[in-house]
Structures are given as C-alpha cells and as structure tokens.
Amino acid sequence: MGGGAGTPDLFYREAQRLGYVARSAFKLLQMQKQFKLITPGSSVLDLGCAPGAWLQVACQSLGPLKCSGAIVGIDTKKVKVPAMHCDSRVQTVCGNVMELPREKIKDLSPQKKGFSVILSDMCPLVSGITTRDSVLSAELGHRALDLAVGGDAFSSPCTNPQVDGELNDIGDNGILQLGGHLVIKLLESEDTKVLFLFDRLSCGSTLRLYYSKMKQISRD
C-alpha cells in the first residue's frame, strides 16, 4: 500500500517514530483529545490490550508518576508492558475476558473499588465475512458492557442503542465506577470502526451514550 497522506503506512511510520508499539495508539489519542477520558489519578482497565499501544497512551494520559493512577490490561495473549511511555503503574494479565468472573477482574482495581475508565479494543479473529465478524465483535462488546455496568443493558448484543440517549435500570454491580467512562470498539464494516463511548452518571445507574465513527487506522 502506498504511503500517501492518511494511509495506514503513514500512521505506522509515525507510530514507530513516536515509540508506540502499534498505530492503533492514534485511535485512543484522538478520543482522549476529544473527550478527556483519562485524567491524573484514573484507574484504567484495557480489555484486549495486545499489543500494548493503548496501555502506552493511557499511561501518558495519567501524567507523571507522582500523579498516581493505575492501568490493568487483559488479553488472551501474554502482553509485555512496553518499555516506552509506560511505568510501574501499568500491569498486564493473561486471561480470557469472556470467561473471567466480574469480581476477579474488579479485584485487580485499586482497593478493589472498580475502574474509573474501561477501554475495550477487543476484536475477534477476522474471517473476512463482514456479517460474521460484526456479530462476533458485538458479542465481545456486549461482554465489556456487561462487565462494566452489570446485568444486561441491551436485550441483545446486536441491538443498536439510541444515539445521544440514556440507558436506565442497567444494574449496579458492574466494575465501572459511577462517573466513569466506558469505550467499546465494534467492527461495523471493512472500512469503518464504530466506537461507543459511555459516561456512567453519578445519579444512579444511568449511562449517557455517545456515538462516533472513525476511519480505520489499523487492524491492530
């Protein structure tokens, strides 16, 4: 593929220059710039953290080490914490998010009180069959939502929630702290990725939903 402006090759070279392990770092950088999801002192859970680019951006967003905070990455692969842009606040766990009990994941958070930010970049093994891949991606996204808020927020993992709406009666046994943020990436088609960003409000079990489309930067 050519190296013209906006092509994946350009993002790949820029990621290498900046010390990121994958060009997928730019997706989180863009969201962080727009929504300010991660702040100093945040506790961050990165679901599907391989190869570690989102761990790097999350740690950078925490600020200096003195600002505290914590980042936990979980992946079915054993992921080594990247040397650049990461520090002692970052740890990784090898495990299957679809099988790990909610309480076991919550125990990984500071004081076992849950996480203030949950990022899900989980992606199925892509078959090239758009419909199949989208359904499998939705199942992973639904699992992330279930872990975050508890119970079933949607009756089906393939249900499309109302954009800029609010979701009520979603349960209060999730691992996302009230006032926290949840990002879920879903595969929609060959050329786009869909990201749902949720804010868990402090007034009861309510989620505010935002919808955003991003051009595909990489398959990492």
Side-chain angles (χ1 to χ4, degrees), residues 36-56:
K36 302 294 189 295
L37 303 170
I38 304 168
T39 57
S42 293
S43 53
V44 182
L45 176 63
D46 183 0
L47 302 174
C49 66
W54 280 24
L55 296 174
Q56 292 177 296

Side-chain angles (χ1 to χ4, degrees), residues 78-216:
K78 188 173 182 179
V79 179
K80 182 178 180 180
V81 175
M84 290 192 67
H85 306 308
C86 288
D87 53 40
S88 59
R89 293 172 291 184
V90 183
Q91 64 170 307
T92 60
V93 175
C94 184
N96 188 340
V97 173
M98 300 298 286
E99 299 174 356
L100 286 173
R102 183 184 294 112
E103 285 305 314
K104 186 171 183 179
I105 297 177
K106 189 174 183 179
D107 286 347
L108 298 171
S109 64
Q111 290 81 50
K112 301 181 180 181
K113 293 183 178 180
F115 297 89
S116 59
V117 180
I118 298 178
L119 309 171
S120 174
D121 196 26
M122 294 188 290
C123 184
L125 292 175
V126 178
S127 67
I129 304 174
T130 302
T131 303
R132 178 181 182 276
D133 294 339
S134 297
V135 170
L136 292 175
S137 176
E139 290 177 355
L140 293 173
H142 189 266
R143 173 58 174 166
L145 180 59
D146 178 68
L147 287 172
V149 301
D152 290 324
F154 308 130
S155 59
S156 167
C158 297
T159 300
N160 290 322
Q162 181 180 355
V163 177
D164 292 332
E166 291 188 353
L167 307 174
N168 298 295
D169 300 325
I170 55 176
D172 56 4
N173 61 336
I175 62 176
L176 179 65
Q177 297 175 358
L178 293 178
H181 306 293
L182 168 63
V183 175
I184 301 175
K185 181 195 76 178
L186 299 175
L187 294 178
E188 186 185 45
S189 70
E190 181 67 18
D191 297 319
T192 60
K193 289 185 179 181
V194 178
L195 295 111
F196 291 101
L197 294 92
F198 300 86
D199 287 329
R200 190 167 190 183
L201 306 181
S202 57
C203 51
S205 297
T206 303
L207 287 180
R208 184 184 296 118
L209 169 64
Y210 304 93
Y211 175 81
S212 175
K213 280 189 178 181
M214 295 176 62
K215 276 292 185 181
Q216 182 168 327

